[in-house]
Amino acid sequence: MNKTLRKTLLGISCFLATSASYAADKYEAEDAILDKCQKATDASASGGAYVKMQSGNLTFNVNVAEAGTYDINIFYTDTYGGPKTQNLVVNGISAGSVTFAETSSATDFVGMLCTVKFQAGENEFSITNSWGWVDIDYITVEKHGFTAFELSKDLVTPNPIESAQELYNFLVDNFGKKTISGVMTDKIVGVNKLADQEEIKFITNASGKAPALIGFDFLHSTGKSSDTNSWHQSYSTNTETLGLQLWKQGGVPAYCWHWKDPRKEQEAFYNPGSGSPSTDFDFTKAFKAGTTEWDTESDIYKAIINDIDIVSLKLKTLQCKGVAVLWRPLHEASGGWFWWGSKGAKNYLALYKLVFDRMVNVNGVRNAIWVWNSDGSDKDWYPGDEYVDIIARDFYYYPRETNHASLIGEFEKLKKVFGTKKIITLAENGSTPYPSEMFEDGAPWSYSMAWYGDYAMPNGSFDDNTADAWDKIMNDEHNLSLEQMPGWKSAAPEDCGIPDPCKSKDGIYQAECADEINATIENVSCESGNGVNFQNSDDYIKFNINIDKQELYDITVGYAIPYSGGKVVTCIVNGEKQDITLGTEDDEVGSCGTVALAPVVLNAGENIIEIVPNWTWAVVDYIQLKASGVTSVKDETTNNVKIVSSNDELNIIGAESEIVIMDAAGHTVSKVEANNNVTISTKGWNKGVYLVKTGAQTLKVIK
C-alpha cells in the first residue's frame, strides 16, 4: 500500500457514465446549498447555469420514496489540469470519494456515475472539497438495479493442484453467503508463531476468535539485500513458515509482492516522488525498440526473469506442501506509485502477462489463485479474464477516518466495470466493513484484509479498527473466523515441480520442514542453509515420521552454533525423553556439528519426534534416522555369543565375561556372572531397545 498517495487509493465509488438516457430525478447544482462555491452561467448548461466548486462544498437535498441503494450521475467538466478528487458525504457520513477525469471542454458536461445508500424521505448528498476545482452542472438520481453473479469454478491456471481448486471452490460457494475478515502481518522476524503476530494477537484477544485470512509479503525475497542481509532472508523464510502454519490450521494465506528494483541498484519499489526510498528502474528498457516485445537478451529482462524465478520457487515450496495461496502480484498499478505502474497500461499489461506466463507456464506454479487490483476506473489496465481469478479493490478513506460502512458503491462499481463473472474482494483496507452491513446493503465482499500496524490496531490518534470493532466483526454471523473454517482435505501433489526441499534424503529431516514449528527459522551455514532457533522456553519442533516396520534406529541431531555451544535440548521420541548437548562453549561460532541419541525403537506407522529447549538460543539444523538392522526380538549372534529370545526370556549362550544389560538411556537393568548358558527373565521390562554387553562385545535386542 502507498501511504504517501492515499488520496488516489481511497474509495472512488463512481465511474464515467456512457449515457444519461434513463428516466431519473434531476437536481440542478445552482439550486443546491453552496459553501465557498461560485455560480456561473452558460447556454450549454442545464437550466443555463452551473457551479464552479473551486475549493468549496456542494450539498443537494435529495428526496426518495423508499430507503435503499441509488445511482447518482454527476454531470461535470474538469479543465483545471488533470483529474480532481472530491469526497462524497451522505447525511453527514462519509460515502467515499470520486475522481473526476479531465475533460476536453469547459462546457461539454459529462456524467460520472456513483452508487450510494439513502434513507426514505429527505437526504443530504454532498460533494465536498478534497482536490477541488471541478464544475458541476446537475445530478440525476434513480434506484439502483442489482445484477446477479455468474461465477465459474474454473481457475485460470491450467491443471491447478488439488488444494488450489479446493480453496477456490470454497470461496465461490461462500461468495454472497459469508465473508472472511482478515489482516496483514508486519514484524514477523524473530517470531515464528502465527498466534504471536501482533495483529493476529490483538484481534484474537479482542474478539475471542482468530482471523482466517492472513496477509504476507515477499517484500524481502528479492532486491539488493536479499542475498546478503540475514534479517531480510529470515523475513522471507518466515513468510513461508507462517503461511504453512495457517494452511494447516484451515486458514487462507494471501501473498503480495512489493517488488524491489530487479537490478539490485536501489532497495526500493516506489517511483521517485511517490515514496521513499525510490527507484528509477524502467522495465520498458527490456522491450525491443518501439514495441512491447521483450528483448530476451537484455540485462533488464534477465534481471526481471531472475526475480520472477526466485518468487516462483517460494510459491512452489509451498506447493510441495499442498498449500494454496491467494496471489496478488503487481498490485495498485494504475495508481502509478510503484515502478511496475509507471509506464502506462499497455506496458504494464505486457509485464503482468510475462509474470503470469513465466510463473505458470514455464516454472509450473499451480497453487496460486490470481488476484488483480483495480481502483474501479482502470479497465484499460485489466489483463483479461484469462489471467485473473479474483478482482480486488484496495480502499482507504481520505482524510483518514474510522468508518465501517459496507462500501456498496465500490462493490457495484467493480461489477459495472468488470462484469459479474469474477469474485470481488477487498485486498487491502483501513477500517474493515461490518459484515452485517455488507450483506444488508448487498455488498458481500468475499474477504477483506485490514492493513498492518495502526490500521489493524489503535495507535495514538488512529483507530481505524478498535478492539470493540473487531469483536463485532469477528463475531458477526456472516463472518468466518479461523475456528469456523472446515479444514483443508487435499493432499500435497506427488509431483510438485521441484525437488521437494522437505523430502527426506538419506534419512535426513530438515528442522525447518518439521510438521509443527513454534520457533524461529534462520539462515545457518550448515546442511540445508536453514535452522530452527529455540529462542523461547516454549519453542518446539515436532516431526510426524512414518516407518514401514518396527526397527531399532540411531538418531543424530545436526546443529549450528551461531552464538556459543553447550546448549541443552530435550529430544522426545514417542514420549521417551533424552537430553543432549549441542556442542561446547569452546566450539567456534558459526560452526556446525552433530550429536547422537542413544538408539531407540521406532514403531511401524507414525512416530512422533519432538525437540524442545532446555537452554534457549539453541539452533537445530536437522535430524537423521538410520536403521541399525535389528527389527524385532530375534536371535542375535556376535562372535561366539548368541542370544535367543523366547516369550519373556533371553537365553545368552557362550558368554565368557560378565553380562551387563542396559536400556536405551544407558541405565543398567541387570548384571549376571559369566556362564556358558544364562537365562534372564524379561518380565516387567518396558518395551524398547536393550544393549547386552559381555567383554568387548555388544548386542542389541528389542522387547
Side-chain angles (χ1 to χ4, degrees), residues 512-523:
E512 69 271 18
C513 297
D515 295 276
E516 293 183 34
I517 301 175
N518 279 297
T520 299
I521 295 176
E522 62 180 45
N523 295 104

Side-chain angles (χ1 to χ4, degrees), residues 221-417:
S221 298
T222 59
K224 185 178 180 180
S225 300
S226 61
D227 297 330
T228 58
N229 187 299
S230 60
W231 188 92
H232 286 191
Q233 292 169 346
S234 294
Y235 182 103
S236 182
T237 301
N238 287 342
T239 60
E240 294 177 61
T241 304
L242 293 174
L244 175 60
Q245 284 183 30
L246 179 63
W247 180 262
K248 287 186 174 182
Q249 294 174 25
V252 181
Y255 286 84
C256 65
W257 181 20
H258 284 86
W259 190 354
K260 298 175 185 175
D261 179 359
R263 300 166 305 181
K264 300 186 182 342
E265 291 183 7
Q266 291 121 4
E267 189 73 15
F269 42 80
Y270 283 125
N271 284 322
S274 298
S276 182
S278 64
T279 175
D280 61 359
F281 179 68
D282 182 355
F283 69 92
T284 63
K285 290 183 178 179
F287 291 148
K288 293 180 180 178
T291 75
T292 55
E293 182 183 350
W294 295 100
D295 177 2
T296 57
E297 297 302 315
S298 70
D299 290 341
I300 290 181
Y301 175 83
K302 291 176 181 178
I304 290 171
I305 291 297
N306 181 69
D307 281 1
I308 296 172
D309 290 350
I310 289 171
V311 173
S312 294
L313 184 59
K314 303 287 287 184
L315 290 172
K316 290 180 72 175
T317 301
L318 291 167
Q319 182 168 294
C320 286
K321 302 177 179 72
V323 179
V325 304
L326 299 173
W327 172 230
R328 185 171 59 107
L330 304 174
H331 61 295
E332 298 174 9
S334 62
W337 39 80
F338 300 133
W339 64 257
W340 53 87
S342 63
K343 301 300 178 181
K346 183 179 179 181
N347 294 321
Y348 164 77
L349 291 175
L351 179 63
Y352 184 98
K353 291 175 182 179
L354 174 67
V355 171
F356 182 94
D357 180 68
R358 184 76 183 182
M359 284 190 159
V360 174
N361 299 319
V362 178
N363 293 335
V365 173
R366 299 187 291 121
N367 63 329
I369 295 171
W370 288 74
V371 182
W372 179 78
N373 253 133
S374 170
D375 73 2
S377 59
D378 51 1
K379 190 172 184 178
D380 290 346
W381 295 71
Y382 184 51
D385 287 352
E386 66 271 31
Y387 294 98
V388 175
D389 293 308
I390 296 175
I391 294 175
R393 181 78 168 93
D394 289 2
F395 186 92
Y396 297 86
Y397 287 100
Y398 183 85
R400 188 168 173 178
E401 65 176 74
T402 304
N403 189 333
H404 298 280
S406 69
L407 301 176
I408 176 64
E410 297 299 319
F411 189 89
E412 286 300 301
K413 176 176 56 179
L414 293 179
K415 284 174 65 177
K416 285 187 177 292
V417 174

Side-chain angles (χ1 to χ4, degrees), residues 559-622:
Y559 59 86
I561 304 179
Y563 316 105
S564 63
K567 307 296 186 183
V568 180
V569 299
T570 299
C571 300
I572 308 170
V573 182
N574 293 329
E576 296 292 325
K577 297 182 178 181
Q578 292 189 45
D579 291 342
I580 56 173
T581 302
L582 309 184
T584 70
E585 292 185 358
D586 296 329
D587 289 331
E588 182 180 352
V589 172
S591 63
C592 310
T594 60
V595 59
L597 278 68
V600 296
V601 175
L602 297 183
N603 303 315
E606 185 179 74
N607 295 265
I608 297 176
I609 301 177
E610 186 174 3
I611 303 179
V612 300
N614 279 351
W615 296 5
T616 53
W617 301 92
V619 180
V620 174
D621 187 18
Y622 64 89

Side-chain angles (χ1 to χ4, degrees), residues 411-616:
F411 189 89
E412 286 300 301
K413 176 176 56 179
L414 293 179
K415 284 174 65 177
K416 285 187 177 292
V417 174
F418 299 104
T420 55
K421 294 182 179 180
K422 300 292 181 180
I423 289 174
I424 292 176
T425 194
L426 279 173
E428 291 181 24
N429 55 270
S431 293
T432 293
Y434 285 140
S436 57
E437 293 199 21
M438 288 187 198
F439 285 85
E440 180 183 344
D441 293 350
W445 303 95
S446 176
Y447 59 86
S448 58
M449 189 182 76
W451 200 243
Y452 64 72
D454 57 29
Y455 283 98
M457 308 171 290
N459 183 14
S461 61
F462 301 125
D463 57 357
D464 302 63
N465 292 290
T466 64
D468 287 343
W470 280 119
D471 186 31
K472 183 174 180 178
I473 291 165
M474 297 300 295
N475 288 288
D476 191 292
E477 63 177 340
H478 298 98
N479 187 69
L480 288 172
S481 64
L482 185 60
E483 296 82 358
Q484 294 167 303
M485 295 292 284
W488 308 118
K489 300 176 177 60
S490 300
E494 292 186 9
D495 178 12
C496 61
I498 57 172
D500 187 348
C502 289
K503 189 173 183 179
S504 170
K505 299 174 184 177
D506 300 324
I508 292 177
Y509 297 82
Q510 304 296 344
E512 69 271 18
C513 297
D515 295 276
E516 293 183 34
I517 301 175
N518 279 297
T520 299
I521 295 176
E522 62 180 45
N523 295 104
V524 294
S525 300
C526 295
E527 205 280 335
S528 70
N530 289 311
V532 173
N533 187 353
F534 296 126
Q535 297 180 357
N536 304 298
S537 60
D538 59 348
D539 287 350
Y540 70 89
I541 58 174
K542 183 184 291 185
F543 296 90
N544 298 324
I545 299 175
N546 281 296
I547 301 296
D548 291 336
K549 57 182 178 180
Q550 185 187 61
E551 291 191 66
L552 178 70
Y553 275 83
D554 296 316
I555 300 179
T556 302
V557 176
Y559 59 86
I561 304 179
Y563 316 105
S564 63
K567 307 296 186 183
V568 180
V569 299
T570 299
C571 300
I572 308 170
V573 182
N574 293 329
E576 296 292 325
K577 297 182 178 181
Q578 292 189 45
D579 291 342
I580 56 173
T581 302
L582 309 184
T584 70
E585 292 185 358
D586 296 329
D587 289 331
E588 182 180 352
V589 172
S591 63
C592 310
T594 60
V595 59
L597 278 68
V600 296
V601 175
L602 297 183
N603 303 315
E606 185 179 74
N607 295 265
I608 297 176
I609 301 177
E610 186 174 3
I611 303 179
V612 300
N614 279 351
W615 296 5
T616 53

